[in-house]
Coordinates of all heavy atoms in Angstrom, one line a residue:
M1 N -14.7 9.1 -10.9 CA -14.5 9.2 -9.5 C -14.4 7.9 -8.9 O -15.1 6.9 -9.2 CB -15.6 9.8 -8.7 CG -15.4 10.0 -7.4 SD -16.9 10.9 -6.5 CE -16.8 10.3 -4.9
L2 N -13.3 7.6 -8.1 CA -13.0 6.3 -7.6 C -13.5 6.2 -6.1 O -13.1 7.1 -5.3 CB -11.5 6.0 -7.5 CG -11.0 4.7 -7.1 CD1 -11.5 3.5 -7.9 CD2 -9.5 4.7 -7.0
S3 N -14.5 5.5 -5.8 CA -15.0 5.4 -4.4 C -14.9 3.9 -3.9 O -15.3 3.0 -4.6 CB -16.4 5.9 -4.4 OG -17.0 5.6 -3.1
F4 N -14.5 3.8 -2.7 CA -14.4 2.5 -2.1 C -15.6 2.3 -1.0 O -15.5 1.5 -0.2 CB -13.0 2.2 -1.4 CG -12.0 2.2 -2.4 CD1 -10.9 3.1 -2.3 CD2 -11.9 1.3 -3.4 CE1 -9.9 3.2 -3.1 CE2 -10.8 1.4 -4.3 CZ -9.8 2.4 -4.1
A5 N -16.6 3.2 -1.1 CA -17.6 3.2 -0.1 C -18.3 1.9 -0.1 O -18.8 1.5 1.0 CB -18.6 4.4 -0.4
E6 N -18.5 1.2 -1.2 CA -19.2 0.0 -1.3 C -18.5 -1.2 -1.6 O -18.9 -2.3 -1.4 CB -20.5 0.2 -2.2 CG -21.4 1.2 -1.7 CD -22.6 1.2 -2.6 OE1 -22.9 0.5 -3.5 OE2 -23.5 2.2 -2.3
N7 N -17.4 -1.1 -2.4 CA -16.7 -2.3 -2.8 C -15.3 -1.8 -3.2 O -15.0 -0.7 -3.4 CB -17.4 -2.8 -4.0 CG -17.4 -4.4 -3.9 OD1 -16.4 -5.0 -3.3 ND2 -18.5 -5.0 -4.5
E8 N -14.4 -2.9 -3.4 CA -13.1 -2.7 -3.8 C -12.9 -2.8 -5.3 O -13.6 -3.1 -6.1 CB -12.1 -3.8 -3.1 CG -12.2 -5.1 -3.7 CD -13.2 -6.1 -3.1 OE1 -14.3 -5.6 -2.6 OE2 -12.8 -7.2 -3.0
C9 N -11.6 -2.3 -5.6 CA -11.2 -2.5 -7.0 C -10.5 -4.0 -7.2 O -9.6 -4.3 -6.4 CB -10.2 -1.5 -7.4 SG -9.4 -1.7 -9.0
T10 N -10.9 -4.6 -8.2 CA -10.4 -5.9 -8.4 C -9.4 -5.9 -9.5 O -8.8 -7.1 -9.8 CB -11.5 -7.0 -8.8 OG1 -12.0 -6.5 -10.1 CG2 -12.6 -7.0 -7.7
F11 N -9.0 -4.7 -10.0 CA -8.0 -4.6 -11.0 C -8.4 -5.4 -12.3 O -7.4 -5.9 -12.9 CB -6.6 -5.0 -10.4 CG -6.3 -4.3 -9.2 CD1 -6.2 -4.9 -7.9 CD2 -5.8 -3.0 -9.3 CE1 -5.9 -4.2 -6.8 CE2 -5.4 -2.2 -8.1 CZ -5.5 -2.9 -6.9
C12 N -9.7 -5.5 -12.6 CA -10.0 -6.2 -13.8 C -9.8 -5.4 -15.1 O -9.8 -5.8 -16.2 CB -11.6 -6.4 -13.7 SG -12.6 -5.0 -13.9
R13 N -9.6 -4.1 -14.9 CA -9.1 -3.1 -15.9 C -10.4 -2.8 -16.9 O -10.1 -2.3 -18.0 CB -8.0 -3.6 -16.7 CG -6.7 -3.5 -15.9 CD -5.4 -3.8 -16.7 NE -5.3 -2.8 -17.9 CZ -4.6 -1.6 -17.6 NH1 -4.2 -1.4 -16.4 NH2 -4.4 -0.9 -18.6
A14 N -11.6 -3.1 -16.5 CA -12.8 -2.8 -17.3 C -12.8 -1.2 -17.5 O -13.2 -0.8 -18.7 CB -14.1 -3.2 -16.6
C15 N -12.5 -0.5 -16.6 CA -12.5 1.0 -16.7 C -11.4 1.4 -17.7 O -11.7 2.2 -18.7 CB -12.3 1.8 -15.4 SG -10.8 1.1 -14.5
A16 N -10.2 0.9 -17.7 CA -9.2 1.2 -18.5 C -9.5 0.8 -20.0 O -9.2 1.6 -20.9 CB -7.8 0.5 -18.2
D17 N -10.2 -0.3 -20.1 CA -10.6 -0.9 -21.4 C -11.6 0.1 -22.0 O -11.7 0.2 -23.3 CB -11.0 -2.3 -21.4 CG -9.9 -3.3 -21.0 OD1 -8.7 -2.8 -21.2 OD2 -10.2 -4.3 -20.7
A18 N -12.5 0.6 -21.2 CA -13.6 1.3 -21.7 C -13.3 2.9 -22.1 O -14.0 3.5 -22.8 CB -14.8 1.3 -20.7
C19 N -12.2 3.3 -21.4 CA -11.8 4.7 -21.4 C -11.2 5.1 -22.7 O -10.2 4.5 -23.1 CB -11.0 5.2 -20.2 SG -10.5 6.9 -20.2
P20 N -11.7 6.1 -23.4 CA -11.0 6.5 -24.8 C -9.8 7.3 -24.6 O -9.1 7.6 -25.6 CB -12.2 7.2 -25.4 CG -13.0 7.9 -24.3 CD -12.9 6.9 -23.1
E21 N -9.5 7.7 -23.3 CA -8.4 8.7 -23.1 C -7.2 7.8 -22.7 O -7.3 6.9 -21.8 CB -8.8 9.8 -22.2 CG -10.0 10.6 -22.7 CD -9.7 11.4 -23.9 OE1 -8.5 11.7 -24.2 OE2 -10.7 11.6 -24.6
P22 N -6.0 8.4 -22.9 CA -4.8 7.6 -22.5 C -4.4 7.9 -21.1 O -3.3 8.4 -20.8 CB -3.7 8.0 -23.6 CG -4.2 9.5 -23.8 CD -5.6 9.4 -23.8
V23 N -5.3 7.8 -20.1 CA -5.0 8.2 -18.8 C -4.7 7.1 -17.8 O -4.3 7.2 -16.7 CB -6.3 8.9 -18.2 CG1 -6.6 10.2 -19.0 CG2 -7.5 8.1 -18.3
F24 N -4.8 5.8 -18.4 CA -4.4 4.7 -17.3 C -2.9 4.2 -17.7 O -2.5 4.2 -18.8 CB -5.5 3.5 -17.7 CG -6.8 3.8 -17.1 CD1 -7.7 4.5 -17.8 CD2 -7.2 3.4 -15.9 CE1 -9.0 4.8 -17.4 CE2 -8.4 3.7 -15.3 CZ -9.3 4.3 -16.0
L25 N -2.4 3.7 -16.6 CA -1.1 3.1 -16.6 C -1.2 1.7 -17.3 O -2.3 1.1 -17.4 CB -0.5 3.0 -15.3 CG -0.3 4.3 -14.5 CD1 0.2 4.1 -13.1 CD2 0.7 5.1 -15.2
E26 N 0.0 1.2 -17.7 CA 0.0 -0.1 -18.3 C -0.4 -1.2 -17.2 O -0.2 -0.9 -16.0 CB 1.4 -0.4 -18.9 CG 1.7 0.5 -20.0 CD 0.9 0.3 -21.2 OE1 0.5 -0.9 -21.5 OE2 0.5 1.3 -21.9
A27 N -0.8 -2.4 -17.7 CA -1.3 -3.3 -16.7 C -0.2 -3.8 -15.8 O -0.4 -4.4 -14.7 CB -1.8 -4.5 -17.5
N28 N 1.1 -3.7 -16.3 CA 2.1 -4.3 -15.5 C 2.7 -3.2 -14.5 O 3.6 -3.4 -13.7 CB 3.2 -4.8 -16.4 CG 3.9 -3.6 -17.2 OD1 3.3 -2.6 -17.2 ND2 5.0 -3.9 -17.9
E29 N 2.0 -2.0 -14.4 CA 2.4 -0.9 -13.5 C 1.5 -0.9 -12.4 O 0.4 -1.3 -12.5 CB 2.5 0.4 -14.2 CG 3.5 0.5 -15.3 CD 3.5 1.9 -16.0 OE1 4.1 2.8 -15.3 OE2 2.9 2.1 -17.0
R30 N 1.9 -0.4 -11.3 CA 1.0 -0.3 -10.1 C -0.1 0.6 -10.4 O 0.1 1.7 -10.9 CB 1.8 0.3 -8.9 CG 1.0 0.4 -7.6 CD 1.9 1.2 -6.5 NE 0.9 1.5 -5.3 CZ 0.7 0.7 -4.4 NH1 1.2 -0.5 -4.2 NH2 -0.2 1.1 -3.5
A31 N -1.3 0.2 -10.1 CA -2.5 0.9 -10.4 C -2.7 2.3 -9.7 O -3.2 3.3 -10.3 CB -3.8 0.1 -10.3
F32 N -2.4 2.2 -8.4 CA -2.7 3.3 -7.6 C -1.5 3.8 -6.9 O -0.7 3.1 -6.4 CB -3.8 3.1 -6.5 CG -5.1 2.5 -7.1 CD1 -5.7 1.3 -6.7 CD2 -5.8 3.3 -8.1 CE1 -6.8 0.8 -7.2 CE2 -7.0 2.8 -8.6 CZ -7.6 1.6 -8.1
A33 N -1.4 5.2 -6.7 CA -0.3 5.7 -5.9 C -0.6 5.6 -4.5 O 0.2 5.7 -3.5 CB 0.0 7.2 -6.3
H34 N -1.9 5.6 -4.1 CA -2.4 5.6 -2.7 C -2.2 4.3 -1.9 O -2.1 3.3 -2.6 CB -3.8 6.1 -2.5 CG -4.8 5.2 -3.2 ND1 -5.6 5.5 -4.1 CD2 -5.1 3.8 -3.0 CE1 -6.3 4.6 -4.5 NE2 -6.0 3.5 -3.8
V35 N -2.0 4.4 -0.7 CA -2.2 3.2 0.2 C -3.1 3.5 1.3 O -3.4 4.6 1.6 CB -0.8 2.8 0.8 CG1 0.2 2.5 -0.3 CG2 -0.2 4.0 1.6
A36 N -3.6 2.4 1.9 CA -4.6 2.6 3.0 C -3.9 3.1 4.2 O -2.8 2.8 4.6 CB -5.3 1.3 3.2
A37 N -4.8 3.9 5.0 CA -4.3 4.3 6.3 C -5.6 4.2 7.3 O -6.7 4.4 6.7 CB -3.8 5.6 6.3
I38 N -5.3 4.1 8.6 CA -6.3 3.9 9.5 C -6.4 5.1 10.5 O -5.5 5.4 11.1 CB -6.2 2.5 10.3 CG1 -6.1 1.3 9.3 CG2 -7.3 2.3 11.3 CD1 -5.8 0.1 10.0
E39 N -7.7 5.7 10.6 CA -7.9 6.8 11.4 C -8.3 6.3 12.8 O -8.5 5.2 13.1 CB -9.0 7.6 10.8 CG -8.6 8.1 9.4 CD -9.5 9.3 8.8 OE1 -10.7 9.1 8.8 OE2 -8.8 10.4 8.5
E40 N -8.3 7.4 13.6 CA -8.5 7.1 15.1 C -9.9 6.6 15.3 O -10.2 6.2 16.4 CB -8.3 8.4 15.9 CG -6.8 8.7 15.9 CD -5.9 7.7 16.4 OE1 -6.2 7.2 17.5 OE2 -5.0 7.2 15.8
S41 N -10.8 6.8 14.4 CA -12.3 6.3 14.7 C -12.4 4.7 14.6 O -13.3 4.2 14.7 CB -13.2 7.0 13.6 OG -12.8 6.8 12.3
C42 N -11.3 4.2 14.2 CA -11.3 2.6 14.1 C -11.9 2.1 15.5 O -11.4 2.4 16.5 CB -9.8 2.1 13.9 SG -9.6 0.4 14.3
F43 N -12.7 1.1 15.4 CA -13.3 0.6 16.6 C -12.3 0.0 17.5 O -12.4 0.1 18.7 CB -14.4 -0.5 16.2 CG -15.7 0.1 15.6 CD1 -16.6 -0.6 14.9 CD2 -16.0 1.5 15.9 CE1 -17.8 -0.1 14.4 CE2 -17.2 1.9 15.4 CZ -18.0 1.1 14.6
A44 N -11.3 -0.8 16.9 CA -10.4 -1.4 17.7 C -9.6 -0.5 18.5 O -9.2 -0.7 19.6 CB -9.4 -2.3 16.7
K45 N -9.3 0.6 18.0 CA -8.6 1.6 18.7 C -9.3 2.3 19.9 O -8.7 2.9 20.7 CB -8.1 2.8 17.8 CG -7.0 2.4 16.7 CD -6.5 3.6 15.9 CE -5.5 3.1 15.0 NZ -4.9 4.2 14.2
T46 N -10.6 2.0 19.8 CA -11.4 2.5 20.9 C -11.8 1.4 21.9 O -12.6 1.5 22.8 CB -12.7 3.2 20.5 OG1 -13.5 2.2 19.8 CG2 -12.5 4.3 19.5
G47 N -11.2 0.3 21.6 CA -11.4 -0.9 22.6 C -12.4 -2.0 22.1 O -12.5 -3.0 22.9
V48 N -13.0 -1.8 21.0 CA -14.0 -2.8 20.5 C -13.2 -3.7 19.6 O -12.5 -3.4 18.7 CB -15.1 -2.1 19.7 CG1 -16.1 -3.1 19.1 CG2 -15.7 -1.1 20.7
H49 N -13.4 -5.0 19.8 CA -12.8 -6.1 19.0 C -13.4 -6.0 17.6 O -14.6 -6.3 17.4 CB -12.9 -7.4 19.6 CG -12.1 -7.7 20.8 ND1 -10.8 -8.2 20.7 CD2 -12.3 -7.3 22.1 CE1 -10.3 -8.3 21.8 NE2 -11.2 -7.8 22.8
C50 N -12.5 -5.9 16.6 CA -13.0 -5.8 15.2 C -11.7 -6.1 14.4 O -10.7 -5.5 14.6 CB -13.6 -4.4 14.8 SG -14.0 -4.4 13.1
Q51 N -11.8 -7.1 13.5 CA -10.7 -7.4 12.6 C -11.3 -7.6 11.2 O -10.6 -8.3 10.3 CB -10.0 -8.7 13.0 CG -9.4 -8.5 14.4 CD -8.3 -9.5 14.8 OE1 -8.1 -10.5 14.1 NE2 -7.7 -9.4 15.9
S52 N -12.3 -6.9 10.8 CA -12.9 -7.0 9.4 C -12.0 -6.6 8.4 O -11.9 -7.3 7.3 CB -14.3 -6.2 9.4 OG -15.2 -6.7 10.4
C53 N -11.2 -5.6 8.6 CA -10.4 -5.2 7.5 C -9.2 -6.2 7.3 O -9.0 -6.4 6.1 CB -9.7 -3.8 7.8 SG -8.9 -3.8 9.5
G54 N -8.7 -6.7 8.3 CA -7.7 -7.8 8.0 C -8.2 -9.0 7.4 O -7.5 -9.6 6.6
D55 N -9.4 -9.4 7.7 CA -10.1 -10.6 7.1 C -10.3 -10.2 5.5 O -10.2 -11.2 4.7 CB -11.4 -10.9 7.7 CG -11.2 -11.4 9.1 OD1 -10.1 -11.8 9.4 OD2 -12.2 -11.3 9.9
A56 N -10.6 -8.9 5.2 CA -10.9 -8.6 3.8 C -9.6 -8.5 2.9 O -9.8 -8.5 1.8 CB -11.8 -7.3 3.8
C57 N -8.6 -8.1 3.6 CA -7.4 -7.8 2.7 C -6.8 -8.9 2.0 O -6.4 -9.9 2.6 CB -6.3 -7.1 3.6 SG -4.8 -6.6 2.7
P58 N -6.7 -8.8 0.7 CA -6.3 -9.9 -0.2 C -4.8 -10.1 -0.1 O -4.2 -11.1 -0.7 CB -6.8 -9.6 -1.6 CG -6.9 -8.1 -1.6 CD -7.4 -7.8 -0.2
E59 N -4.1 -9.1 0.4 CA -2.6 -9.0 0.3 C -2.1 -9.3 1.7 O -0.8 -9.2 2.0 CB -2.2 -7.7 -0.1 CG -2.7 -7.3 -1.4 CD -2.2 -8.2 -2.6 OE1 -1.2 -8.8 -2.4 OE2 -3.0 -8.4 -3.6
T60 N -3.0 -9.6 2.7 CA -2.5 -9.8 4.2 C -1.6 -8.7 4.5 O -0.5 -8.9 5.1 CB -1.8 -11.2 4.3 OG1 -0.7 -11.4 3.5 CG2 -2.8 -12.3 4.1
A61 N -2.1 -7.5 4.2 CA -1.3 -6.3 4.5 C -1.6 -5.7 5.8 O -1.0 -4.7 6.3 CB -1.4 -5.3 3.4
I62 N -2.7 -6.2 6.5 CA -3.0 -5.7 7.8 C -2.9 -6.7 8.9 O -3.4 -7.8 8.8 CB -4.6 -5.3 7.7 CG1 -4.8 -4.4 6.5 CG2 -5.1 -4.7 9.1 CD1 -6.3 -3.9 6.4
R63 N -2.0 -6.3 9.8 CA -1.8 -7.2 10.9 C -2.4 -6.5 12.2 O -2.5 -5.3 12.2 CB -0.2 -7.3 11.2 CG 0.5 -7.9 10.0 CD 0.2 -9.2 9.7 NE 0.7 -9.7 8.5 CZ 1.9 -10.2 8.3 NH1 2.8 -10.3 9.3 NH2 2.3 -10.7 7.1
F64 N -2.6 -7.4 13.2 CA -3.2 -6.8 14.5 C -2.2 -6.9 15.6 O -1.8 -8.1 15.9 CB -4.5 -7.5 14.8 CG -5.6 -7.0 13.9 CD1 -5.8 -7.5 12.6 CD2 -6.5 -6.0 14.3 CE1 -6.7 -7.0 11.7 CE2 -7.5 -5.6 13.4 CZ -7.7 -6.1 12.2
R65 N -1.9 -5.7 16.2 CA -0.9 -5.7 17.3 C -1.6 -5.8 18.6 O -2.6 -5.2 18.9 CB -0.2 -4.4 17.3 CG 0.8 -4.3 18.3 CD 1.9 -3.2 18.1 NE 1.1 -1.9 17.7 CZ 0.7 -1.1 18.6 NH1 0.8 -1.3 19.9 NH2 0.0 0.0 18.1
P66 N -1.3 -7.0 19.4 CA -2.0 -7.2 20.7 C -1.7 -6.1 21.6 O -0.6 -5.6 21.5 CB -1.3 -8.6 21.1 CG -0.7 -9.1 19.9 CD -0.3 -8.0 19.0
R67 N -2.6 -5.8 22.4 CA -2.4 -4.7 23.5 C -2.9 -5.3 24.8 O -3.9 -6.0 24.9 CB -3.2 -3.5 23.2 CG -2.7 -2.6 22.1 CD -3.5 -1.4 22.0 NE -5.0 -1.5 21.9 CZ -5.9 -0.6 22.0 NH1 -5.5 0.6 22.3 NH2 -7.2 -0.8 22.0
L68 N -2.2 -5.0 25.8 CA -2.5 -5.4 27.2 C -3.9 -4.8 27.6 O -3.9 -3.4 27.5 CB -1.4 -5.1 28.2 CG -0.3 -6.1 28.5 CD1 0.7 -5.6 29.3 CD2 -0.9 -7.5 28.8
G69 N -4.7 -5.5 27.9 CA -6.2 -4.9 28.4 C -7.0 -4.1 27.3 O -7.8 -3.5 27.7
G70 N -6.6 -4.4 26.0 CA -7.4 -3.8 25.0 C -7.5 -4.6 23.8 O -6.8 -5.7 23.7
A71 N -8.3 -4.2 22.9 CA -8.5 -5.0 21.6 C -7.2 -4.8 20.8 O -6.6 -3.8 20.8 CB -9.7 -4.5 20.8
P72 N -6.8 -5.8 20.0 CA -5.6 -5.7 19.0 C -6.0 -4.6 18.0 O -7.1 -4.5 17.5 CB -5.5 -7.1 18.5 CG -6.3 -8.0 19.4 CD -7.4 -7.2 20.0
V73 N -5.0 -3.8 17.8 CA -5.1 -2.8 16.8 C -4.5 -3.0 15.4 O -3.5 -3.6 15.3 CB -4.6 -1.4 17.3 CG1 -5.4 -1.0 18.6 CG2 -3.2 -1.5 17.7
P74 N -5.3 -2.6 14.4 CA -4.7 -2.9 13.1 C -3.5 -2.0 12.7 O -3.5 -0.8 13.0 CB -5.9 -2.7 12.2 CG -6.7 -1.6 12.9 CD -6.5 -2.0 14.3
E75 N -2.6 -2.6 11.9 CA -1.6 -1.8 11.4 C -1.3 -2.2 9.9 O -1.4 -3.4 9.7 CB -0.1 -2.1 12.2 CG -0.2 -1.6 13.7 CD 1.0 -1.9 14.4 OE1 1.7 -2.7 13.9 OE2 1.3 -1.2 15.4
I76 N -1.2 -1.2 9.1 CA -1.1 -1.5 7.6 C 0.4 -1.5 7.3 O 1.1 -0.6 7.5 CB -1.8 -0.6 6.7 CG1 -3.4 -0.8 7.1 CG2 -1.6 -0.8 5.3 CD1 -4.4 0.3 6.4
E77 N 0.8 -2.6 6.6 CA 2.1 -2.7 6.0 C 2.1 -2.2 4.6 O 1.6 -2.7 3.5 CB 2.6 -4.2 5.9 CG 4.0 -4.3 5.6 CD 4.4 -5.7 5.7 OE1 3.9 -6.6 6.4 OE2 5.5 -6.1 4.9
A78 N 2.5 -0.9 4.5 CA 2.3 0.0 3.2 C 2.9 -0.7 2.1 O 2.4 -0.6 0.9 CB 2.8 1.3 3.5
G79 N 4.0 -1.4 2.3 CA 4.7 -2.0 1.2 C 3.9 -3.1 0.6 O 4.2 -3.5 -0.6
R80 N 3.0 -3.7 1.3 CA 2.2 -4.8 0.7 C 0.8 -4.3 0.1 O 0.2 -5.0 -0.5 CB 1.8 -5.8 1.8 CG 3.0 -6.6 2.3 CD 2.6 -7.5 3.5 NE 1.9 -8.6 3.0 CZ 2.5 -9.9 2.7 NH1 3.8 -10.0 2.9 NH2 1.8 -10.9 2.3
C81 N 0.4 -3.0 0.5 CA -0.9 -2.5 0.2 C -0.9 -2.2 -1.3 O -0.1 -1.3 -1.8 CB -1.2 -1.3 1.1 SG -2.8 -0.6 0.6
T82 N -2.0 -2.6 -2.0 CA -2.1 -2.3 -3.4 C -3.0 -1.2 -3.6 O -3.3 -0.7 -4.7 CB -2.7 -3.5 -4.2 OG1 -4.0 -3.9 -3.6 CG2 -1.8 -4.6 -4.2
G83 N -3.8 -0.7 -2.4 CA -4.7 0.4 -2.6 C -6.1 -0.1 -3.1 O -6.9 0.6 -3.6
C84 N -6.3 -1.4 -3.0 CA -7.6 -2.1 -3.7 C -8.8 -1.5 -2.9 O -9.8 -1.5 -3.6 CB -7.6 -3.4 -3.6 SG -7.8 -4.2 -2.0
G85 N -8.7 -1.1 -1.7 CA -9.9 -0.5 -1.0 C -10.9 -1.6 -0.4 O -11.8 -1.3 0.2
A86 N -10.4 -2.8 -0.4 CA -11.3 -3.9 0.2 C -11.6 -3.6 1.7 O -12.6 -3.8 2.2 CB -10.7 -5.3 0.0
C87 N -10.6 -3.2 2.3 CA -10.6 -2.9 3.8 C -11.5 -1.6 4.0 O -12.3 -1.7 5.0 CB -9.3 -2.6 4.3 SG -8.3 -1.3 3.5
A88 N -11.4 -0.6 3.2 CA -12.3 0.5 3.4 C -13.7 0.2 3.1 O -14.6 0.7 3.8 CB -11.8 1.6 2.4
A89 N -14.0 -0.6 2.2 CA -15.4 -1.0 1.8 C -16.0 -1.6 3.0 O -17.2 -1.5 3.2 CB -15.4 -1.7 0.6
I90 N -15.3 -2.4 3.7 CA -16.0 -3.3 4.8 C -15.9 -2.8 6.1 O -16.7 -3.1 7.0 CB -15.2 -4.7 4.7 CG1 -16.3 -5.8 5.3 CG2 -13.9 -4.8 5.5 CD1 -15.8 -7.2 5.1
C91 N -15.1 -1.7 6.3 CA -15.0 -1.1 7.7 C -16.2 -0.6 8.2 O -16.8 0.4 7.6 CB -13.8 -0.1 7.7 SG -13.6 0.7 9.3
P92 N -16.7 -1.1 9.4 CA -18.0 -0.5 9.9 C -17.8 0.8 10.5 O -18.8 1.6 10.7 CB -18.4 -1.6 10.9 CG -17.0 -2.1 11.4 CD -16.2 -2.1 10.2
A93 N -16.6 1.3 10.8 CA -16.4 2.6 11.4 C -16.1 3.6 10.3 O -15.8 4.8 10.7 CB -15.3 2.5 12.4
H94 N -15.9 3.2 9.1 CA -15.5 4.2 8.0 C -14.2 4.8 8.4 O -13.9 6.0 8.2 CB -16.6 5.2 7.7 CG -17.9 4.7 7.4 ND1 -18.3 3.9 6.3 CD2 -19.0 4.6 8.1 CE1 -19.4 3.5 6.3 NE2 -20.0 3.9 7.5
A95 N -13.3 4.0 9.0 CA -12.1 4.5 9.5 C -10.9 4.5 8.6 O -9.8 4.8 9.0 CB -11.7 3.9 10.8
I96 N -11.0 3.8 7.4 CA -10.0 3.6 6.5 C -10.0 4.6 5.3 O -10.9 4.7 4.6 CB -9.9 2.2 6.0 CG1 -9.7 1.3 7.3 CG2 -8.7 2.0 5.0 CD1 -9.6 -0.2 6.8
I97 N -8.9 5.3 5.2 CA -8.7 6.4 4.2 C -7.7 5.9 3.2 O -6.8 5.0 3.6 CB -8.6 7.8 4.7 CG1 -7.2 7.8 5.4 CG2 -9.7 8.2 5.5 CD1 -6.8 9.3 5.9
M98 N -7.5 6.5 2.1 CA -6.4 6.3 1.1 C -5.5 7.4 1.1 O -6.0 8.6 0.8 CB -7.0 5.9 -0.3 CG -7.8 4.7 -0.3 SD -7.0 3.2 0.1 CE -8.3 2.1 0.8
N99 N -4.3 7.3 1.3 CA -3.3 8.4 1.5 C -2.4 8.2 0.3 O -1.9 7.1 0.1 CB -2.6 8.3 2.7 CG -3.2 9.1 3.9 OD1 -4.1 9.8 3.6 ND2 -2.8 8.7 5.0
T100 N -2.0 9.3 -0.4 CA -0.9 9.2 -1.4 C 0.4 9.4 -0.6 O 0.3 9.9 0.6 CB -1.1 10.4 -2.4 OG1 -1.1 11.5 -1.7 CG2 -2.4 10.2 -3.2
P101 N 1.5 9.0 -1.3 CA 2.7 9.1 -0.4 C 3.0 10.5 0.1 O 3.5 10.8 1.1 CB 3.7 8.7 -1.6 CG 3.0 7.8 -2.4 CD 1.6 8.3 -2.5
E102 N 2.5 11.5 -0.6 CA 2.8 12.9 -0.2 C 2.1 13.3 1.0 O 2.5 14.1 1.9 CB 2.2 13.9 -1.2 CG 3.0 13.9 -2.6 CD 2.9 12.6 -3.4 OE1 1.8 12.2 -3.4 OE2 3.7 12.1 -4.1
T103 N 0.8 12.6 1.3 CA 0.0 12.9 2.5 C 0.2 11.9 3.6 O -0.4 11.9 4.6 CB -1.4 13.1 2.1 OG1 -1.9 12.0 1.6 CG2 -1.6 14.2 1.2
A104 N 0.9 10.7 3.3 CA 1.0 9.6 4.2 C 1.9 10.0 5.4 O 2.6 10.9 5.3 CB 1.5 8.3 3.5
Ligands
SF4_1 S1 -12.5 -2.9 10.1 FE1 -12.4 -0.6 10.5 S2 -13.0 -0.6 12.7 FE2 -12.6 -2.8 12.2 S3 -10.4 -2.9 12.9 FE3 -10.4 -2.5 10.7 S4 -10.2 -0.2 10.7 FE4 -10.8 -0.7 12.8
SF4_2 S1 -6.3 -1.2 0.4 FE1 -6.4 -3.5 -0.2 S2 -4.2 -4.2 -0.1 FE2 -4.3 -2.2 1.0 S3 -4.7 -2.8 3.2 FE3 -6.7 -2.4 2.3 S4 -7.5 -4.4 1.6 FE4 -5.3 -4.6 1.9

């Protein structure tokens, strides 16, 4: 089971190396089909200033759109997202989920 509740995937491939079954993709292929998505429970969407996810993203895939009279809100550039989960692990609102393209 893959969980980003406490930490992200660093793509070290230790799981793939340890697994006896041929279930992992090759190292030069994209590891995950999912990309991150932000739910309405995001603090910034409720007016509280928070940019923790953007600070944590190693791909600079999260930008913050300024809003008049409100906190800047995060937006994820799906094309840059590797699905590593660093943003989900650090989000204090537990507002980041991973969507597969079918559910995005
Ligand atoms: S870390 Fe979570 S609460 Fe903070 S801006 Fe990102 S999605 Fe919103
Ligand atoms: S899953 Fe990783 S790459 Fe994608 S937005 Fe979150 S921190 Fe950035």
Side-chain angles (χ1 to χ4, degrees):
M1 178 182 158
L2 183 64
S3 171
F4 300 119
E6 295 186 6
N7 223 326
E8 76 267 33
C9 173
T10 62
F11 304 103
C12 71
R13 291 187 63 83
C15 53
D17 292 342
C19 181
E21 302 298 333
V23 296
F24 286 87
L25 299 172
E26 297 297 322
N28 62 352
E29 296 183 80
R30 180 184 169 90
F32 302 125
H34 65 238
V35 295
I38 299 174
E39 297 194 304
E40 292 306 306
S41 55
C42 163
F43 287 161
K45 292 185 179 184
T46 64
V48 178
H49 284 267
C50 176
Q51 298 196 357
S52 297
C53 54
D55 293 341
C57 178
E59 305 297 332
T60 59
I62 304 175
R63 306 290 172 88
F64 284 81
R65 180 167 47 85
R67 284 190 305 171
L68 274 177
V73 292
E75 294 177 344
I76 294 178
E77 191 178 334
R80 297 176 71 97
C81 177
T82 62
C84 73
C87 54
I90 204 166
C91 176
H94 308 293
I96 298 181
I97 60 170
M98 297 297 151
N99 276 342
T100 59
E102 291 75 33
T103 59

